[in-house]
Amino acid sequence: MAFNISQFFLSLNHCLLIKIIQKVDLNIHVIDFFNNYLIDRKTNYLWNNFSSHIFDVNVGIGQGSAFSPILSVLYLSLFLYILEKCLKNLQIPISIISFVDNSLFILQDKYLEMSNARLFCSYNVISIFLKKFGLVVELSKTEIFHFSRVQGLFNPLPLDLSILEESILSPKNS
C-alpha cells in the first residue's frame, strides 16, 4: 500500500517538532534557532515612511526550504517509531519505506485474505496516529498493489476501508 500525507509541510505541529528536536539532544543554540524559526514568527512591511502592522507568519515549513528534509525526517521518525512499536505489539509484520510525505507499506503473507486484513488494521492504526500528529492521509492518492507467484488467472481482492469512512481500494495492475 502506498499513500500520501495531505498538506504535509503546512500541517506539521511546530511545538511538537521543537519537543522532538529537544529529545534529539541537539545543542541549545540549534534548538533556540529552530524555536525562533518555527514558533511565533511575526513580520511587517516597510515602504518608504509607511510601516504595516505586525502579523503572524506561522505558515509551516516551506517545501522548498533547505530545512524541510531534515525537519520532516525528525518529525516522522517519532511517528514511525511509535507506529512500528504498535504494529509489533499487534503482531503485524510490516515493512515501512518513507519518502518524506509519501509512504510505502510492504506486507508479505501466504494468503491474500490475511494480507488484506493486516493491511486494513495497519491502515486504521496509521490513520489514527497521523491524526494525533496533526496529519491526514490523502485517500485519493492511496494505492494498493498485490504481487503473486500464482501462474495463470490472479484476481486480487480489494481493500474495503468503508468501515473507516474511507473508500474501497481496488488493486492496481502491477
Side-chain angles (χ1 to χ4, degrees):
M1 176 172 21
F3 68 88
N4 190 305
I5 299 172
S6 179
Q7 298 294 313
F8 177 74
F9 290 100
L10 298 176
S11 303
L12 296 182
N13 179 329
H14 294 154
C15 293
L16 176 59
L17 184 53
I18 292 300
K19 288 184 187 297
I20 292 168
I21 291 171
Q22 289 169 339
K23 284 284 188 188
V24 174
D25 201 26
L26 294 174
N27 181 296
I28 189 68
H29 297 297
V30 174
I31 295 170
D32 287 344
F33 169 80
F34 281 113
N35 196 26
N36 291 329
Y37 178 74
L38 294 171
I39 299 176
D40 294 330
R41 291 173 60 186
K42 300 183 184 315
T43 194
N44 71 324
Y45 294 100
L46 182 62
W47 184 278
N48 293 331
N49 292 331
F50 171 76
S51 179
S52 71
H53 67 280
I54 295 174
F55 53 93
D56 293 332
V57 289
N58 295 323
V59 293
I61 298 169
Q63 189 164 354
S65 166
F67 295 125
S68 62
I70 297 163
L71 295 176
S72 60
V73 165
L74 287 172
Y75 196 83
L76 285 177
S77 64
L78 178 63
F79 166 76
L80 293 173
Y81 176 79
I82 294 169
L83 178 64
E84 181 182 36
K85 293 281 187 194
C86 181
L87 293 176
K88 188 175 183 178
N89 288 341
L90 293 171
Q91 297 179 352
I92 298 176
I94 195 164
S95 299
I96 305 167
I97 302 172
S98 180
F99 308 94
V100 184
D101 63 341
N102 298 301
S103 293
L104 178 64
F105 292 82
I106 302 170
L107 190 122
Q108 298 181 81
D109 204 289
K110 210 173 192 180
Y111 304 102
L112 192 57
E113 293 82 6
M114 181 59 79
S115 177
N116 262 7
R118 288 180 171 166
L119 277 173
F120 175 85
C121 184
S122 299
Y123 181 85
N124 190 21
V125 170
I126 291 162
S127 295
I128 290 168
F129 282 152
L130 283 173
K131 285 178 187 170
K132 288 183 179 185
F133 274 71
L135 303 169
V136 177
V137 172
E138 196 169 345
L139 191 65
S140 65
K141 293 185 179 179
T142 302
E143 298 177 315
I144 185 169
F145 300 88
H146 292 291
F147 300 93
S148 175
R149 292 184 181 173
V150 173
Q151 300 295 319
L153 184 62
F154 173 63
N155 191 15
L157 300 170
L159 182 61
D160 186 358
L161 300 173
S162 60
I163 296 171
L164 304 175
E165 298 179 10
E166 305 285 351
S167 64
I168 295 174
L169 292 177
S170 296
K172 302 291 181 188
N173 293 332
S174 52

